[in-house]
Amino acid sequence: MSDRHPAASTPASLVQAAYAKFDERVPLARERYGRALTLAEKILFAHMDDPADGGLGRGEDYTDYRPDRVAMQDATAQMAVLQFMLAGKDEVAVPTTVHCDHLIQAHTGADSDLKIANENNREVYDFLRSASDRYGMGFWKPGGGIIHQVVIEQYAFPGGMMIGTDSHTPNAGGVGMVAIGVGGADAVDVMVGMPWNLKVPKLIGVELTGTLSGWTSAKDVILKVAEILTVKGGTGAIVEYFGPGALSLSATGKGTICNMGAEIGATTSVFAYDDAIARYLKSTGREELADLATANAHHLRADDDVYADPDSYYDQVIRIDLDTLEPHLVGPHSPDKAHPVSRMQADVESEGYPERVSAALVGSCTNSSYEDITRVASLARFAKANGLTAAEGVEFLITPGSEQVRATIERDGLLADLEAIGATVLANACGPCIGQWKRDTVSKGDVNAIVTSYNRNFPKRNDGNPATLGFVASPETTVAIALSGRLGFDPTRDTITNDKGEEISLPEPVGLELPPSGFDAGAEVFAAPSEGASGEVVIAEGSERLQALEPFAPNAPEDLEGLPVLLKAKGKCTTDHISMAGPWLRFRGHLENISGNLYLGAISAFTGDSNAHDVLDGDKVMSFPDLAKRWNEQGIDSVVFGDENLGEGSSREHAAMEPRFRGVRAVIVRSFARIHETNLKKQGVLALTFEDPADYEKVQEHDRVAIRGIAELAPGSQLTVELTHRDGSVDSFKANHTLSPEQIDWFWAGSALNLIRSNAGA
Ligand code: MIC
Ligand code: SF4
């Protein structure tokens, strides 16, 4: 480790300093709480800005924290860095890294895809690289790997706290870090040296008993948890895993579980430090950190009293017996729609899902560990020896999570095992997981089913085709389905006919937790910032992909009157519906251009489809982004209404900046996903919830909306939303907000960044 650049890994000195805080503060925490502590409580307390007085009230207090690190991926870093530049600082205040992973399109395979990405995205990469150099951030080049995989391999450490501008940042919980996904403006707070504010999370305990075996893997644990808690069941909570079953999971398996905690809305998920985490740290070249963690192991777990009586300490406890846990698939379109493999064929029949799958995709930030790949390679070798390959008509793609994993699995012959049964190896990047998939075999509108070992399966997520049904499963289940070609294939019971007409049962997958001969770092994919931070940040002139930001104007009470309704969203409205990814990723650094996708995927409660009506112009039919632009150009501001869990999914702050840019003053919903609600607040959009969810029904297409009580906006104050209907009648209802005093200041300033700028005299 010592021969690495300090920006390429987490230095032992940083970890040592973090543990010294535990020594100092854990006794104080026990005193302030007056009881034993859970792991998450210890980590949060050790990172509190004001341990003597910082709020402890779960689900109530907003408390300031001092995270140890920041990580950003290219699709969100652009906007974050553009905002950071407005803050007028010379250097980032905490260790920060940028990872180029989201913008690489998968088409024919790693080498050519990477080459094309380097050409197509040159101005974005040049911008991020020059900004990294200028402001002292570590830069992972395209091909270096997916942010979360690189973070767990290089930067994450037990007991640490980090934020990342990506919702799957919690992946680092696999090694015991409290790692939280945020919008770029939150990252900017930490990068400028301010504390980071978070509502104190609730705590959900998941007690694991038994041991995984056979076809069941870590992925199935989180698929089960998603079924139990649903996509909003973890909102505002940290999920802590413990129990004997937790000890039987590898660190990367734990990472998979924490990663997908994003799918249940959890703030983050975390495991206690154990032997598996120590083995992983050592194997990835971080012996020194393993030793430090072992010496501090008592801080890196909950207190014994908690484990003895979890129900008294967590807001909710779930128990899962790994001995009886079955492999699952979840989908289509929602990660909580679970089907055990033993029931899948029956569900295929009753739900009318396609019998055959058209593609099987293994890898991503979620599931591309050495263990995952050795397990699927064992199936591939067996298949090859028994006359089986990926079934006819099944595209079979592998995405390694990092250059280090790729080089290691190539060296150990595992990629060759997979290629021998028909796999194509893609670049170490997000690729098809984020719609960066140039799919030649299926056209828009073709109904087809795919299975992936990724984490998300919203409509259009992978290939942009709304008719593609995405199912998520473990890598093992995914490969078994690839070999059989059948969505309803149960690898524990069913057989596959081989090229000689024999019926073949697949053996249980077997793998290795870690590479016996260590990891191979592979190609040079890291660029350290140069000393002295003096270079220029490169923004290509006239770029359609990058645009310097203009600060938003402050809000005034009279801005919230007489507003027409831009959208009343019906049903699921994720960040992918609000600000679509795929081809739109190219505009992530250009607010005006990306606003061309605003609410493109949302379904209007008025029209029942994704068309908008211009109520100010004879109900002319147009798209939401066109209407938003039209009104904005006419100087007309508006309001948006939504249903449950609005903004579920990604951390992308574009989903908040775009409405703000187009004059949306308030977003009023039945409930919000955490990151999206914060992103709206950060950008100066009023985020409100109906006090009575039934009031959603009162909103009509031609209403004019006024928000009363805004001048007296205070923590906990209630607002009245007044709807003046087309016939002149008026309806009103109560709405709530969760703004803290500081967040109210953001609102009046026009955005959180405006406040930073005015404090800095910028
Ligand atoms: C995702 O998985 O949806 C993404 C793409 O990684 C996003 C970030 C983004 O939209 O840039 C996320 O999860 O936050
Ligand atoms: Fe990339 Fe997919 Fe992971 Fe998001 S979930 S970081 S898009 S691989």
Side-chain angles (χ1 to χ4, degrees), residues 99-128:
H99 304 259
C100 296
D101 53 2
H102 278 61
L103 302 178
I104 301 168
Q105 190 176 51
H107 186 208
T108 52
D111 293 344
S112 51
D113 293 351
L114 195 58
K115 209 159 143 220
I116 293 172
N118 270 317
E119 280 160 26
N120 287 349
N121 302 318
R122 170 155 312 137
E123 51 192 290
V124 171
Y125 296 150
D126 284 351
F127 166 65
L128 291 175

PDB file of all heavy atoms in Angstrom, residues 99-128:
ATOM      1  N   HIS A  99     -14.675   9.193 -10.927  1.00  0.00           N
ATOM      2  CA  HIS A  99     -14.607   7.888 -11.602  1.00  0.00           C
ATOM      3  C   HIS A  99     -15.350   7.950 -12.935  1.00  0.00           C
ATOM      4  O   HIS A  99     -16.535   8.281 -12.960  1.00  0.00           O
ATOM      5  CB  HIS A  99     -15.245   6.816 -10.719  1.00  0.00           C
ATOM      6  CG  HIS A  99     -14.626   6.753  -9.355  1.00  0.00           C
ATOM      7  ND1 HIS A  99     -13.704   5.798  -9.006  1.00  0.00           N
ATOM      8  CD2 HIS A  99     -14.777   7.545  -8.255  1.00  0.00           C
ATOM      9  CE1 HIS A  99     -13.324   6.001  -7.744  1.00  0.00           C
ATOM     10  NE2 HIS A  99     -13.953   7.053  -7.267  1.00  0.00           N
ATOM     11  N   CYS A 100     -14.652   7.615 -14.020  1.00  0.00           N
ATOM     12  CA  CYS A 100     -15.278   7.668 -15.345  1.00  0.00           C
ATOM     13  C   CYS A 100     -15.852   6.302 -15.694  1.00  0.00           C
ATOM     14  O   CYS A 100     -15.117   5.407 -16.127  1.00  0.00           O
ATOM     15  CB  CYS A 100     -14.253   8.105 -16.389  1.00  0.00           C
ATOM     16  SG  CYS A 100     -13.672   9.780 -16.085  1.00  0.00           S
ATOM     17  N   ASP A 101     -17.131   6.138 -15.468  1.00  0.00           N
ATOM     18  CA  ASP A 101     -17.731   4.813 -15.646  1.00  0.00           C
ATOM     19  C   ASP A 101     -19.083   4.818 -16.354  1.00  0.00           C
ATOM     20  O   ASP A 101     -19.432   3.875 -17.040  1.00  0.00           O
ATOM     21  CB  ASP A 101     -17.907   4.142 -14.260  1.00  0.00           C
ATOM     22  CG  ASP A 101     -18.657   5.019 -13.263  1.00  0.00           C
ATOM     23  OD1 ASP A 101     -19.065   6.121 -13.635  1.00  0.00           O
ATOM     24  OD2 ASP A 101     -18.829   4.599 -12.107  1.00  0.00           O
ATOM     25  N   HIS A 102     -19.825   5.918 -16.234  1.00  0.00           N
ATOM     26  CA  HIS A 102     -21.210   5.884 -16.712  1.00  0.00           C
ATOM     27  C   HIS A 102     -21.359   6.187 -18.204  1.00  0.00           C
ATOM     28  O   HIS A 102     -22.404   5.927 -18.770  1.00  0.00           O
ATOM     29  CB  HIS A 102     -22.058   6.895 -15.939  1.00  0.00           C
ATOM     30  CG  HIS A 102     -22.528   6.395 -14.610  1.00  0.00           C
ATOM     31  ND1 HIS A 102     -21.674   6.024 -13.605  1.00  0.00           N
ATOM     32  CD2 HIS A 102     -23.786   6.181 -14.126  1.00  0.00           C
ATOM     33  CE1 HIS A 102     -22.390   5.629 -12.553  1.00  0.00           C
ATOM     34  NE2 HIS A 102     -23.660   5.716 -12.848  1.00  0.00           N
ATOM     35  N   LEU A 103     -20.346   6.776 -18.799  1.00  0.00           N
ATOM     36  CA  LEU A 103     -20.551   7.314 -20.152  1.00  0.00           C
ATOM     37  C   LEU A 103     -20.031   6.403 -21.263  1.00  0.00           C
ATOM     38  O   LEU A 103     -19.947   6.806 -22.413  1.00  0.00           O
ATOM     39  CB  LEU A 103     -19.868   8.693 -20.257  1.00  0.00           C
ATOM     40  CG  LEU A 103     -20.356   9.739 -19.241  1.00  0.00           C
ATOM     41  CD1 LEU A 103     -19.581  11.035 -19.395  1.00  0.00           C
ATOM     42  CD2 LEU A 103     -21.841  10.003 -19.415  1.00  0.00           C
ATOM     43  N   ILE A 104     -19.671   5.181 -20.889  1.00  0.00           N
ATOM     44  CA  ILE A 104     -19.102   4.279 -21.900  1.00  0.00           C
ATOM     45  C   ILE A 104     -20.212   3.392 -22.452  1.00  0.00           C
ATOM     46  O   ILE A 104     -20.849   2.648 -21.710  1.00  0.00           O
ATOM     47  CB  ILE A 104     -17.981   3.423 -21.272  1.00  0.00           C
ATOM     48  CG1 ILE A 104     -16.888   4.341 -20.711  1.00  0.00           C
ATOM     49  CG2 ILE A 104     -17.433   2.426 -22.284  1.00  0.00           C
ATOM     50  CD1 ILE A 104     -15.876   3.650 -19.817  1.00  0.00           C
ATOM     51  N   GLN A 105     -20.454   3.514 -23.739  1.00  0.00           N
ATOM     52  CA  GLN A 105     -21.551   2.730 -24.312  1.00  0.00           C
ATOM     53  C   GLN A 105     -21.086   1.317 -24.675  1.00  0.00           C
ATOM     54  O   GLN A 105     -20.044   1.130 -25.298  1.00  0.00           O
ATOM     55  CB  GLN A 105     -22.078   3.420 -25.567  1.00  0.00           C
ATOM     56  CG  GLN A 105     -23.362   2.791 -26.053  1.00  0.00           C
ATOM     57  CD  GLN A 105     -23.947   3.516 -27.233  1.00  0.00           C
ATOM     58  OE1 GLN A 105     -23.247   3.769 -28.221  1.00  0.00           O
ATOM     59  NE2 GLN A 105     -25.220   3.850 -27.149  1.00  0.00           N
ATOM     60  N   ALA A 106     -21.881   0.336 -24.273  1.00  0.00           N
ATOM     61  CA  ALA A 106     -21.567  -1.053 -24.605  1.00  0.00           C
ATOM     62  C   ALA A 106     -22.105  -1.357 -25.995  1.00  0.00           C
ATOM     63  O   ALA A 106     -23.260  -1.098 -26.296  1.00  0.00           O
ATOM     64  CB  ALA A 106     -22.206  -1.978 -23.585  1.00  0.00           C
ATOM     65  N   HIS A 107     -21.241  -1.894 -26.853  1.00  0.00           N
ATOM     66  CA  HIS A 107     -21.712  -2.285 -28.177  1.00  0.00           C
ATOM     67  C   HIS A 107     -21.058  -3.595 -28.591  1.00  0.00           C
ATOM     68  O   HIS A 107     -21.678  -4.636 -28.529  1.00  0.00           O
ATOM     69  CB  HIS A 107     -21.461  -1.159 -29.188  1.00  0.00           C
ATOM     70  CG  HIS A 107     -22.051  -1.435 -30.534  1.00  0.00           C
ATOM     71  ND1 HIS A 107     -21.537  -0.929 -31.692  1.00  0.00           N
ATOM     72  CD2 HIS A 107     -23.115  -2.183 -30.907  1.00  0.00           C
ATOM     73  CE1 HIS A 107     -22.261  -1.344 -32.733  1.00  0.00           C
ATOM     74  NE2 HIS A 107     -23.233  -2.110 -32.268  1.00  0.00           N
ATOM     75  N   THR A 108     -19.774  -3.537 -28.921  1.00  0.00           N
ATOM     76  CA  THR A 108     -19.177  -4.768 -29.444  1.00  0.00           C
ATOM     77  C   THR A 108     -18.183  -5.423 -28.488  1.00  0.00           C
ATOM     78  O   THR A 108     -17.781  -6.552 -28.707  1.00  0.00           O
ATOM     79  CB  THR A 108     -18.453  -4.496 -30.785  1.00  0.00           C
ATOM     80  OG1 THR A 108     -17.560  -3.396 -30.576  1.00  0.00           O
ATOM     81  CG2 THR A 108     -19.435  -4.148 -31.877  1.00  0.00           C
ATOM     82  N   GLY A 109     -17.760  -4.733 -27.460  1.00  0.00           N
ATOM     83  CA  GLY A 109     -16.803  -5.332 -26.524  1.00  0.00           C
ATOM     84  C   GLY A 109     -15.864  -4.274 -25.982  1.00  0.00           C
ATOM     85  O   GLY A 109     -15.804  -3.150 -26.505  1.00  0.00           O
ATOM     86  N   ALA A 110     -15.108  -4.658 -24.948  1.00  0.00           N
ATOM     87  CA  ALA A 110     -14.356  -3.698 -24.153  1.00  0.00           C
ATOM     88  C   ALA A 110     -13.468  -2.758 -24.976  1.00  0.00           C
ATOM     89  O   ALA A 110     -13.600  -1.534 -24.882  1.00  0.00           O
ATOM     90  CB  ALA A 110     -13.529  -4.436 -23.109  1.00  0.00           C
ATOM     91  N   ASP A 111     -12.564  -3.326 -25.781  1.00  0.00           N
ATOM     92  CA  ASP A 111     -11.539  -2.482 -26.381  1.00  0.00           C
ATOM     93  C   ASP A 111     -12.120  -1.430 -27.310  1.00  0.00           C
ATOM     94  O   ASP A 111     -11.823  -0.237 -27.200  1.00  0.00           O
ATOM     95  CB  ASP A 111     -10.516  -3.343 -27.141  1.00  0.00           C
ATOM     96  CG  ASP A 111      -9.724  -4.191 -26.163  1.00  0.00           C
ATOM     97  OD1 ASP A 111      -9.770  -3.863 -24.947  1.00  0.00           O
ATOM     98  OD2 ASP A 111      -9.109  -5.183 -26.591  1.00  0.00           O
ATOM     99  N   SER A 112     -12.970  -1.889 -28.231  1.00  0.00           N
ATOM    100  CA  SER A 112     -13.492  -0.920 -29.193  1.00  0.00           C
ATOM    101  C   SER A 112     -14.465   0.036 -28.521  1.00  0.00           C
ATOM    102  O   SER A 112     -14.499   1.225 -28.853  1.00  0.00           O
ATOM    103  CB  SER A 112     -14.139  -1.635 -30.376  1.00  0.00           C
ATOM    104  OG  SER A 112     -15.048  -2.590 -29.889  1.00  0.00           O
ATOM    105  N   ASP A 113     -15.238  -0.448 -27.576  1.00  0.00           N
ATOM    106  CA  ASP A 113     -16.202   0.439 -26.906  1.00  0.00           C
ATOM    107  C   ASP A 113     -15.476   1.553 -26.149  1.00  0.00           C
ATOM    108  O   ASP A 113     -15.893   2.710 -26.148  1.00  0.00           O
ATOM    109  CB  ASP A 113     -17.086  -0.341 -25.914  1.00  0.00           C
ATOM    110  CG  ASP A 113     -18.021  -1.323 -26.619  1.00  0.00           C
ATOM    111  OD1 ASP A 113     -18.105  -1.273 -27.859  1.00  0.00           O
ATOM    112  OD2 ASP A 113     -18.644  -2.149 -25.925  1.00  0.00           O
ATOM    113  N   LEU A 114     -14.368   1.179 -25.525  1.00  0.00           N
ATOM    114  CA  LEU A 114     -13.609   2.154 -24.742  1.00  0.00           C
ATOM    115  C   LEU A 114     -12.988   3.210 -25.651  1.00  0.00           C
ATOM    116  O   LEU A 114     -12.957   4.402 -25.334  1.00  0.00           O
ATOM    117  CB  LEU A 114     -12.532   1.421 -23.948  1.00  0.00           C
ATOM    118  CG  LEU A 114     -11.875   2.196 -22.835  1.00  0.00           C
ATOM    119  CD1 LEU A 114     -12.911   2.680 -21.832  1.00  0.00           C
ATOM    120  CD2 LEU A 114     -10.863   1.301 -22.107  1.00  0.00           C
ATOM    121  N   LYS A 115     -12.521   2.737 -26.786  1.00  0.00           N
ATOM    122  CA  LYS A 115     -11.902   3.656 -27.738  1.00  0.00           C
ATOM    123  C   LYS A 115     -12.929   4.694 -28.211  1.00  0.00           C
ATOM    124  O   LYS A 115     -12.672   5.897 -28.242  1.00  0.00           O
ATOM    125  CB  LYS A 115     -11.389   2.841 -28.927  1.00  0.00           C
ATOM    126  CG  LYS A 115     -10.216   3.436 -29.581  1.00  0.00           C
ATOM    127  CD  LYS A 115      -9.447   2.415 -30.382  1.00  0.00           C
ATOM    128  CE  LYS A 115      -8.941   3.115 -31.623  1.00  0.00           C
ATOM    129  NZ  LYS A 115      -9.039   2.288 -32.809  1.00  0.00           N
ATOM    130  N   ILE A 116     -14.100   4.201 -28.544  1.00  0.00           N
ATOM    131  CA  ILE A 116     -15.157   5.103 -29.012  1.00  0.00           C
ATOM    132  C   ILE A 116     -15.557   6.073 -27.896  1.00  0.00           C
ATOM    133  O   ILE A 116     -15.743   7.266 -28.132  1.00  0.00           O
ATOM    134  CB  ILE A 116     -16.367   4.287 -29.518  1.00  0.00           C
ATOM    135  CG1 ILE A 116     -15.959   3.533 -30.779  1.00  0.00           C
ATOM    136  CG2 ILE A 116     -17.573   5.173 -29.774  1.00  0.00           C
ATOM    137  CD1 ILE A 116     -16.964   2.540 -31.281  1.00  0.00           C
ATOM    138  N   ALA A 117     -15.654   5.537 -26.666  1.00  0.00           N
ATOM    139  CA  ALA A 117     -16.041   6.408 -25.546  1.00  0.00           C
ATOM    140  C   ALA A 117     -15.013   7.511 -25.349  1.00  0.00           C
ATOM    141  O   ALA A 117     -15.369   8.669 -25.105  1.00  0.00           O
ATOM    142  CB  ALA A 117     -16.186   5.586 -24.265  1.00  0.00           C
ATOM    143  N   ASN A 118     -13.737   7.165 -25.472  1.00  0.00           N
ATOM    144  CA  ASN A 118     -12.703   8.172 -25.284  1.00  0.00           C
ATOM    145  C   ASN A 118     -12.814   9.279 -26.318  1.00  0.00           C
ATOM    146  O   ASN A 118     -12.545  10.441 -26.029  1.00  0.00           O
ATOM    147  CB  ASN A 118     -11.313   7.525 -25.351  1.00  0.00           C
ATOM    148  CG  ASN A 118     -10.862   7.087 -23.972  1.00  0.00           C
ATOM    149  OD1 ASN A 118     -11.023   7.816 -22.997  1.00  0.00           O
ATOM    150  ND2 ASN A 118     -10.334   5.880 -23.872  1.00  0.00           N
ATOM    151  N   GLU A 119     -13.240   8.909 -27.523  1.00  0.00           N
ATOM    152  CA  GLU A 119     -13.424   9.939 -28.546  1.00  0.00           C
ATOM    153  C   GLU A 119     -14.693  10.739 -28.277  1.00  0.00           C
ATOM    154  O   GLU A 119     -14.685  11.959 -28.212  1.00  0.00           O
ATOM    155  CB  GLU A 119     -13.522   9.299 -29.929  1.00  0.00           C
ATOM    156  CG  GLU A 119     -12.169   8.938 -30.497  1.00  0.00           C
ATOM    157  CD  GLU A 119     -12.263   7.905 -31.610  1.00  0.00           C
ATOM    158  OE1 GLU A 119     -13.314   7.820 -32.275  1.00  0.00           O
ATOM    159  OE2 GLU A 119     -11.273   7.166 -31.785  1.00  0.00           O
ATOM    160  N   ASN A 120     -15.791  10.008 -28.101  1.00  0.00           N
ATOM    161  CA  ASN A 120     -17.084  10.696 -27.970  1.00  0.00           C
ATOM    162  C   ASN A 120     -17.181  11.573 -26.730  1.00  0.00           C
ATOM    163  O   ASN A 120     -17.860  12.587 -26.737  1.00  0.00           O
ATOM    164  CB  ASN A 120     -18.234   9.682 -27.918  1.00  0.00           C
ATOM    165  CG  ASN A 120     -18.469   9.061 -29.274  1.00  0.00           C
ATOM    166  OD1 ASN A 120     -17.930   9.531 -30.274  1.00  0.00           O
ATOM    167  ND2 ASN A 120     -19.260   8.004 -29.311  1.00  0.00           N
ATOM    168  N   ASN A 121     -16.535  11.144 -25.674  1.00  0.00           N
ATOM    169  CA  ASN A 121     -16.688  11.872 -24.407  1.00  0.00           C
ATOM    170  C   ASN A 121     -15.473  12.725 -24.083  1.00  0.00           C
ATOM    171  O   ASN A 121     -15.307  13.152 -22.939  1.00  0.00           O
ATOM    172  CB  ASN A 121     -16.918  10.890 -23.247  1.00  0.00           C
ATOM    173  CG  ASN A 121     -18.135  10.038 -23.471  1.00  0.00           C
ATOM    174  OD1 ASN A 121     -19.157  10.529 -23.917  1.00  0.00           O
ATOM    175  ND2 ASN A 121     -18.032   8.747 -23.180  1.00  0.00           N
ATOM    176  N   ARG A 122     -14.641  12.945 -25.092  1.00  0.00           N
ATOM    177  CA  ARG A 122     -13.368  13.603 -24.801  1.00  0.00           C
ATOM    178  C   ARG A 122     -13.536  14.888 -23.995  1.00  0.00           C
ATOM    179  O   ARG A 122     -12.859  15.097 -22.994  1.00  0.00           O
ATOM    180  CB  ARG A 122     -12.601  13.888 -26.104  1.00  0.00           C
ATOM    181  CG  ARG A 122     -11.385  14.784 -25.838  1.00  0.00           C
ATOM    182  CD  ARG A 122     -10.301  14.651 -26.842  1.00  0.00           C
ATOM    183  NE  ARG A 122     -10.005  13.247 -27.089  1.00  0.00           N
ATOM    184  CZ  ARG A 122      -9.801  12.737 -28.290  1.00  0.00           C
ATOM    185  NH1 ARG A 122      -9.865  13.495 -29.332  1.00  0.00           N
ATOM    186  NH2 ARG A 122      -9.528  11.462 -28.438  1.00  0.00           N
ATOM    187  N   GLU A 123     -14.475  15.752 -24.407  1.00  0.00           N
ATOM    188  CA  GLU A 123     -14.544  17.045 -23.712  1.00  0.00           C
ATOM    189  C   GLU A 123     -14.952  16.875 -22.253  1.00  0.00           C
ATOM    190  O   GLU A 123     -14.497  17.617 -21.383  1.00  0.00           O
ATOM    191  CB  GLU A 123     -15.426  18.055 -24.447  1.00  0.00           C
ATOM    192  CG  GLU A 123     -16.779  17.568 -24.825  1.00  0.00           C
ATOM    193  CD  GLU A 123     -17.474  18.519 -25.793  1.00  0.00           C
ATOM    194  OE1 GLU A 123     -17.832  19.599 -25.347  1.00  0.00           O
ATOM    195  OE2 GLU A 123     -17.663  18.175 -26.968  1.00  0.00           O
ATOM    196  N   VAL A 124     -15.790  15.862 -21.989  1.00  0.00           N
ATOM    197  CA  VAL A 124     -16.202  15.637 -20.601  1.00  0.00           C
ATOM    198  C   VAL A 124     -15.026  15.080 -19.794  1.00  0.00           C
ATOM    199  O   VAL A 124     -14.744  15.533 -18.677  1.00  0.00           O
ATOM    200  CB  VAL A 124     -17.404  14.666 -20.545  1.00  0.00           C
ATOM    201  CG1 VAL A 124     -17.701  14.260 -19.113  1.00  0.00           C
ATOM    202  CG2 VAL A 124     -18.621  15.317 -21.191  1.00  0.00           C
ATOM    203  N   TYR A 125     -14.334  14.119 -20.365  1.00  0.00           N
ATOM    204  CA  TYR A 125     -13.180  13.557 -19.659  1.00  0.00           C
ATOM    205  C   TYR A 125     -12.095  14.628 -19.454  1.00  0.00           C
ATOM    206  O   TYR A 125     -11.482  14.701 -18.389  1.00  0.00           O
ATOM    207  CB  TYR A 125     -12.595  12.358 -20.407  1.00  0.00           C
ATOM    208  CG  TYR A 125     -13.539  11.164 -20.526  1.00  0.00           C
ATOM    209  CD1 TYR A 125     -13.468  10.298 -21.619  1.00  0.00           C
ATOM    210  CD2 TYR A 125     -14.483  10.888 -19.536  1.00  0.00           C
ATOM    211  CE1 TYR A 125     -14.314   9.200 -21.726  1.00  0.00           C
ATOM    212  CE2 TYR A 125     -15.338   9.803 -19.636  1.00  0.00           C
ATOM    213  CZ  TYR A 125     -15.255   8.955 -20.732  1.00  0.00           C
ATOM    214  OH  TYR A 125     -16.084   7.871 -20.833  1.00  0.00           O
ATOM    215  N   ASP A 126     -11.884  15.457 -20.469  1.00  0.00           N
ATOM    216  CA  ASP A 126     -10.876  16.516 -20.331  1.00  0.00           C
ATOM    217  C   ASP A 126     -11.266  17.476 -19.208  1.00  0.00           C
ATOM    218  O   ASP A 126     -10.443  17.901 -18.410  1.00  0.00           O
ATOM    219  CB  ASP A 126     -10.734  17.321 -21.631  1.00  0.00           C
ATOM    220  CG  ASP A 126      -9.955  16.548 -22.691  1.00  0.00           C
ATOM    221  OD1 ASP A 126      -9.395  15.484 -22.346  1.00  0.00           O
ATOM    222  OD2 ASP A 126      -9.938  16.990 -23.857  1.00  0.00           O
ATOM    223  N   PHE A 127     -12.551  17.789 -19.180  1.00  0.00           N
ATOM    224  CA  PHE A 127     -13.043  18.687 -18.137  1.00  0.00           C
ATOM    225  C   PHE A 127     -12.827  18.060 -16.760  1.00  0.00           C
ATOM    226  O   PHE A 127     -12.255  18.686 -15.855  1.00  0.00           O
ATOM    227  CB  PHE A 127     -14.532  18.965 -18.371  1.00  0.00           C
ATOM    228  CG  PHE A 127     -15.237  19.589 -17.200  1.00  0.00           C
ATOM    229  CD1 PHE A 127     -14.904  20.860 -16.765  1.00  0.00           C
ATOM    230  CD2 PHE A 127     -16.243  18.900 -16.519  1.00  0.00           C
ATOM    231  CE1 PHE A 127     -15.558  21.441 -15.674  1.00  0.00           C
ATOM    232  CE2 PHE A 127     -16.892  19.468 -15.433  1.00  0.00           C
ATOM    233  CZ  PHE A 127     -16.546  20.737 -15.010  1.00  0.00           C
ATOM    234  N   LEU A 128     -13.252  16.816 -16.602  1.00  0.00           N
ATOM    235  CA  LEU A 128     -13.150  16.192 -15.269  1.00  0.00           C
ATOM    236  C   LEU A 128     -11.700  15.970 -14.869  1.00  0.00           C
ATOM    237  O   LEU A 128     -11.333  16.131 -13.705  1.00  0.00           O
ATOM    238  CB  LEU A 128     -13.915  14.861 -15.247  1.00  0.00           C
ATOM    239  CG  LEU A 128     -15.440  14.997 -15.330  1.00  0.00           C
ATOM    240  CD1 LEU A 128     -16.096  13.621 -15.432  1.00  0.00           C
ATOM    241  CD2 LEU A 128     -15.990  15.757 -14.113  1.00  0.00           C
TER     242      LEU A 128
END
